[in-house]
Amino acid sequence: MKKMSLVGISGSLRRASTNSFLVREAARRFGTDAFVFADIRFPLFDADLKEAEGIPAVVQTLRDQIARADAVVVSTPEYNKGISGVLKNALDWISVTDENPWLNKPVALVSAAAGRAGGERAQSMARLALTPFRPRLLTGPEVMIANTADQWDEKGLLINARSAKQLDALMDELRLEVLRMQAG
């Protein structure tokens, strides 16, 4: 069976971000050798900048990576009850590229947060932010890693068995959605 390609987007730029751990863990469990960890260090969205200089190369690169991928996994932290500014900024930039790379793209949404809800509000906000792009946004199982600092080993691997089982189920659903899309 052909390995499926996956793009992972972490809404956190921190070097030791548990959302980045979660994206990589999702990719490992998805089972792909064609994985791209997205760079979302974009300039702040500015329509004047776009008009004067065009789409920044880093934005176009991610847009093209999403378009070529079989699926995308997005992990969002929860900052002040919502998604991070850097994730929203990336979505805004991608939205003004020439073609919508998200259209009918299978997308899994996950979150990791310090609080006991695991980023539930941020995940809800991310779902709202992605919906206008019309991806095939999976509805579940929901993966929200609570008390995230205690859920990873020293190698960045998920150690919570319940969360790992949920992530496996979500990645199974993502693979099935890709197969449904490929079958037409």
Side-chain angles (χ1 to χ4, degrees):
M1 182 172 95
K2 173 187 172 268
K3 292 273 187 172
M4 297 174 192
S5 60
L6 182 70
V7 168
I9 300 172
S10 171
S12 176
L13 300 178
R14 269 187 329 112
R15 186 174 23 257
S17 162
T18 58
N19 280 277
S20 296
F21 291 168
L22 184 51
V23 165
R24 288 185 177 96
E25 184 74 1
R28 188 175 72 80
R29 291 169 182 274
F30 185 76
T32 181
D33 55 5
F35 172 65
V36 172
F37 187 86
D39 176 5
I40 61 170
R41 291 180 187 272
F42 297 171
L44 290 176
F45 179 76
D46 179 346
D48 291 337
L49 175 66
K50 178 188 175 272
E51 186 176 318
E53 299 178 23
I55 301 293
V58 68
V59 173
Q60 189 64 46
T61 295
L62 180 54
R63 182 251 168 253
D64 294 346
Q65 290 167 336
I66 293 168
R68 283 191 305 267
D70 291 309
V72 179
V73 62
V74 177
S75 186
T76 181
E78 186 166 286
Y79 294 169
N80 300 311
K81 310 292 185 202
I83 64 175
S84 65
V86 70
L87 179 57
K88 180 66 167 87
N89 186 58
L91 296 175
D92 289 343
W93 265 116
I94 293 167
S95 76
V96 298
T97 60
D98 286 340
E99 294 180 29
N100 177 8
W102 298 102
L103 185 62
N104 292 317
K105 183 73 58 180
V107 175
L109 186 58
V110 296
S111 57
R116 67 180 178 263
E120 184 176 20
R121 287 183 180 167
Q123 199 171 121
S124 179
M125 184 178 174
R127 191 170 298 281
L128 288 172
L130 284 162
T131 297
F133 309 134
R134 297 175 41 217
R136 296 186 72 109
L137 197 53
L138 300 183
T139 58
E142 294 178 314
V143 175
M144 299 172 199
I145 311 293
N147 303 311
T148 191
D150 301 327
Q151 307 305 315
W152 309 92
D153 69 13
E154 64 282 345
K155 295 178 183 170
L157 299 176
L158 186 60
I159 58 173
N160 181 297
R162 189 175 135 262
S163 295
K165 185 176 177 181
Q166 289 174 308
L167 186 57
D168 282 338
L170 182 61
M171 292 302 99
D172 288 346
E173 284 297 315
L174 188 58
R175 276 190 302 279
L176 286 172
E177 189 60 27
V178 170
L179 291 172
R180 284 195 276 285
M181 293 293 299
Q182 290 174 345

